[in-house]
Amino acid sequence: MAVDDDVKRGCPPRLAFPDQVLAAVLHLRVALAAEPLAVLFDSSRTAVPRTLLKIRTLLKAHAKSVPPATTPPAALATLHARVIALSIDPNSKIKTPC
């Protein structure tokens, strides 16, 4: 029995493609780690690294790059505070992979 290469395996992405790109840009531009991105985008902590790898691969295939910021934007402190607040919220749940 032959396996069809077009068949998708695994869980469907939780993030829409524009959100995947935004997460990757935040990761590349201001060095946000995968876990804070998972909190910000309400995604699973295991899906974000796969998303980052996927978008980095697409950027590389199209010879595009996102250079790191030379100085962190002022909004990064606010973003960091939001991630911390969302991380310690007793009502927030860690999402399961599927």
Side-chain angles (χ1 to χ4, degrees), residues 23-74:
V25 168
L26 285 170
H27 173 71
L28 295 169
R29 187 79 174 145
V30 295
L32 277 180
E35 186 165 334
L37 288 169
V39 172
L40 285 173
F41 287 93
D42 194 27
S43 182
S44 75
R45 286 166 173 78
T46 57
V48 171
R50 288 191 307 264
T51 296
L52 296 175
L53 178 61
K54 173 182 151 183
I55 299 301
R56 289 177 94 160
T57 302
L58 285 172
L59 288 169
K60 185 176 179 179
H62 293 280
K64 303 292 181 192
S65 66
V66 178
T70 54
T71 57

